[in-house]
Amino acid sequence: MMKKWTQFIVGTIAAVLIFALPVQANAFQVVNKDLPLSSGVQYKNYTYKNTYTNSINHLAINLQDPYTALKIGVPSPINSVATTTKLANSHSFEGNRVVGAVNAGFYNMSTGFPMYLISQNNEIVNGGVLSDSYSAYVSSPIAFGIREDGTADIESFDFDINLKYNNQDYEITGLNRERQDNEAIIFTPLKVGTTTGSNKYGLEFVIETEEPVTSNYFGQTLTGKITQIRDYGSEEVIRVPKNGFVLSVNGKKWIDSFKNMKIGEQVSVGFDINKNWKNSQFMLGSGPMLVKDGQRYITMNTSSSRATEIAPRSAIAISADKKQVHLVTVDGRLGSFSKGMSLTQFADYLVKLGFDRAINLDGGGSTTMGIRNYGSNNVVLANRPSDGYERRVSTILEAISTAPTSSPAHINASRDKTGTMLLGSSITLKLNYVMDAYYNNITIDPSKVIISSENNLVNINGYTYTASKVGQDRVLVNYESAVQSFPVTIVSEPATLSIASSAKTINTGGTINFSATAKDAAGNGLLYNPSQLSWTVEGNIGTIASNGKFTASNTAGKGKIIAQLGTKKVSVDVEVTEPASSLQSPFSDVSNKNVYLKEIVYLTNNGYIHGYEDSTFKPEQNLSRAHAAVLISRALKLDLTSVTDPGFKDVPTTHPYYREIAAVANARIVGGKENNLYDPQGTLTRAQMAAILTNAYKLTGTSTTKFSDVKSGYWAEKSISALAFNDITTGYADGTFKPSVPVTRMHFSVFLYRSIHR
């Protein structure tokens, strides 16, 4: 059911609950962001915790600022829809920069048509409807708008469509929208579509005027003569004349009033609105009203499902002097991040913010706020819509900066690291954006960027500056009239330098990782280039790499590990010892001093590997792919009684290691080669060994150690890195892994032992 605008009187709402809350300071919420978007528009994001935790986005608009305006964004045609950010960016141009936007009016999601009154510069964009139900959002003729004098208001209105025929006045129910039961609707050429689209259950009268009708506005009167009549029950399609309008009626009351109309008779229709809204810059019908005179004032049934639902919400509010406008959105349906609010909670929150009046806008999944981010003139999404993406909407409200782009005033550069610099260290700058005094983005011209030093203690090369002298300095980044500076402190050595390691006693042939920590006088980390930290070994105890990895020699001894940074040196004592062991080698070709005796004995004692009949182990003999399957199947205790034939052509069921090969293949530990071959007698490479152990023991992790002969994208790169990450391999002293080299029985034993005991 639709209702005539003037049938509702705001003062008769007896059920509206009015409740005052004191305006508090910002203690009731946390401010996460606070950014000026233009000279008259401020954006803030809050975390508000009351019944639920909510994320609030807020645009404050100062209508007194000479370069600030608030406009309504309407799509073309009126029934098209677009996302808030897309619509805002389509309306943004030099001298009319959209710096913030929020979704606005309710709309029919099936047709795209706005549901309520919209006017722009006194022209009627959409006639709108009202609901008869007090449980609906909009059952009261209330609008937000900017009046002729530039002030904002939230107030009731009386939109009047008056038809004069045969010296009688008739109050028509609607303009350029679908005719419902018991209604009289006026269709003008401003309607989307060329026909009325009304059903046959009514009368339609075509009235042509002397001049084309190119707009509809408040205060307008159209007078013409009837040129065509469509009778009740007729299915004739009635087109709206470009120089006139159509009266379409349904229901006994209206049919009885106009059934005697005749062709040639004169009919007039006028559109008007109450004086307060006449000649307004724009009007947007919405609802319900939420706040009036600084108190909660909700013009709908607050017990209805729409009002009590905890959901995303949008609203527009004004100050008592009508010169400040506030766009506020509450995200919702996002779990613990932001739950949403009921209408009562929303109204109470707006009262807390100190607003004089507020009216509800379309919310739920339509709730969207966009802002102009620094470094761009484009409007981007600022909130988190509940759908996970921006919903297309019908109309938006746009905070506008009319300031023209002017000279640079704001510059933003950042450093890749901050802190006290060691002599010789470097910092690289990044120029993020340049803006004028009104926060309009300025496209960066690299030739205008000047980086300099106040005291010439740094050398500047492009965007990188390097500490060249000890002392205090300041680096300046200039872009015409805009400047930003960074303080620089340069020292010749750290105030403290310390060495840390996992141990200070190591067996011969073992490894230890050393690291250094450098701090300035304030106890903060000192900035230096990695190449500035040097490691040396004192004494014949081993070698140390540039990354601090120490490898002990094969003879016992004592010495020092020395770290030097700048002019400061520190050292720690290290002792290399022979491994204490009572192990006796069971093999004639493996001595008791073999560095891998422990691993070989362990695997032998557990039955994972065996020697030969002549009591040898043959440690340097290459391991075959078949023997690798045997060792892995034994170590993992794989079931060999019910294997599935993997179908390798060169491993028949009669092969002596058929079950072991089948078991590791079934477990997806070892795969075959091309042409469905396993190549049991083929030698196992170190890369293949890495893949087998990674699969067998589900090794994960990525090592910071990079082997020079394992290039990015190499098929076994991840497996080799996983071995290094789990301290199963260290590679060779020259920084290589030698992935294609065959693995020996001794080395496979070591890697298998470490995988078992990782």
Side-chain angles (χ1 to χ4, degrees), residues 37 41 43 57 59 61 70-71 73 83-89 91 98-104 327-329 367-372 379-383 390 395-400:
L37 303 182
V41 181
Y43 165 73
N57 286 283
L59 285 173
I61 303 158
L70 183 65
K71 298 182 181 180
T83 64
T84 297
T85 57
K86 182 177 181 179
L87 199 55
N89 285 320
H91 296 158
V98 180
V99 299
V102 67
N103 68 292
L327 303 174
V328 182
T329 65
T367 296
T368 308
M369 180 177 287
I371 62 171
R372 178 176 71 169
V379 175
V380 297
L381 190 63
N383 74 315
E390 275 193 79
T395 54
I396 65 173
L397 289 166
E398 301 170 344
I400 304 290

Side-chain angles (χ1 to χ4, degrees), residues 413-463:
S414 56
R415 296 167 285 177
D416 62 347
K417 45 189 175 289
T418 59
T420 300
M421 301 178 69
L422 179 68
L423 192 67
S425 64
S426 301
I427 289 178
T428 299
L429 296 168
K430 178 184 178 183
L431 185 53
N432 299 312
Y433 56 79
V434 177
M435 301 185 297
D436 69 8
Y438 306 104
Y439 302 91
N440 293 312
N441 183 60
I442 296 174
T443 301
I444 296 173
D445 179 353
S447 67
K448 296 181 179 180
V449 180
I450 300 175
I451 300 175
S452 60
S453 163
E454 278 188 350
N455 299 325
N456 297 316
L457 301 186
V458 299
N459 294 326
I460 298 171
N461 182 12
Y463 283 82

Side-chain angles (χ1 to χ4, degrees), residues 348 397 574 607 725:
D348 289 345
L397 289 166
V574 175
F725 180 82

Side-chain angles (χ1 to χ4, degrees), residues 333-530:
R333 302 171 185 158
L334 297 173
S336 59
F337 172 74
S338 192
K339 188 82 170 178
M341 294 184 182
S342 68
L343 272 186
T344 299
Q345 291 170 337
F346 194 27
D348 289 345
Y349 173 75
L350 297 173
V351 168
K352 272 190 171 186
L353 291 181
F355 303 142
D356 181 67
R357 293 193 176 196
I359 190 170
N360 185 60
L361 300 173
D362 187 14
S366 297
T367 296
T368 308
M369 180 177 287
I371 62 171
R372 178 176 71 169
N373 263 344
Y374 289 175
S376 172
N377 282 324
N378 289 330
V379 175
V380 297
L381 190 63
N383 74 315
R384 288 176 55 180
S386 61
D387 292 341
Y389 56 88
E390 275 193 79
R391 181 180 291 179
R392 294 187 299 166
V393 297
S394 174
T395 54
I396 65 173
L397 289 166
E398 301 170 344
I400 304 290
S401 171
T402 60
T405 301
S406 54
S407 300
H410 306 285
I411 185 173
N412 181 271
S414 56
R415 296 167 285 177
D416 62 347
K417 45 189 175 289
T418 59
T420 300
M421 301 178 69
L422 179 68
L423 192 67
S425 64
S426 301
I427 289 178
T428 299
L429 296 168
K430 178 184 178 183
L431 185 53
N432 299 312
Y433 56 79
V434 177
M435 301 185 297
D436 69 8
Y438 306 104
Y439 302 91
N440 293 312
N441 183 60
I442 296 174
T443 301
I444 296 173
D445 179 353
S447 67
K448 296 181 179 180
V449 180
I450 300 175
I451 300 175
S452 60
S453 163
E454 278 188 350
N455 299 325
N456 297 316
L457 301 186
V458 299
N459 294 326
I460 298 171
N461 182 12
Y463 283 82
T464 298
Y465 57 92
T466 302
S468 59
K469 296 178 183 178
V470 173
Q472 301 289 326
D473 202 348
R474 183 168 287 274
V475 170
L476 308 174
V477 184
N478 288 77
Y479 192 92
E480 295 183 350
S481 55
V483 61
Q484 182 179 4
S485 67
F486 301 103
V488 178
T489 299
I490 304 170
V491 296
S492 61
E493 65 176 22
T496 61
L497 180 64
S498 58
I499 299 176
S501 65
S502 55
K504 294 179 182 176
T505 301
I506 183 174
N507 289 337
T508 55
T511 61
I512 300 177
N513 289 318
F514 289 89
S515 61
T517 300
K519 294 185 178 181
D520 63 13
N524 299 316
L526 182 69
L527 300 184
Y528 61 91
N529 301 335

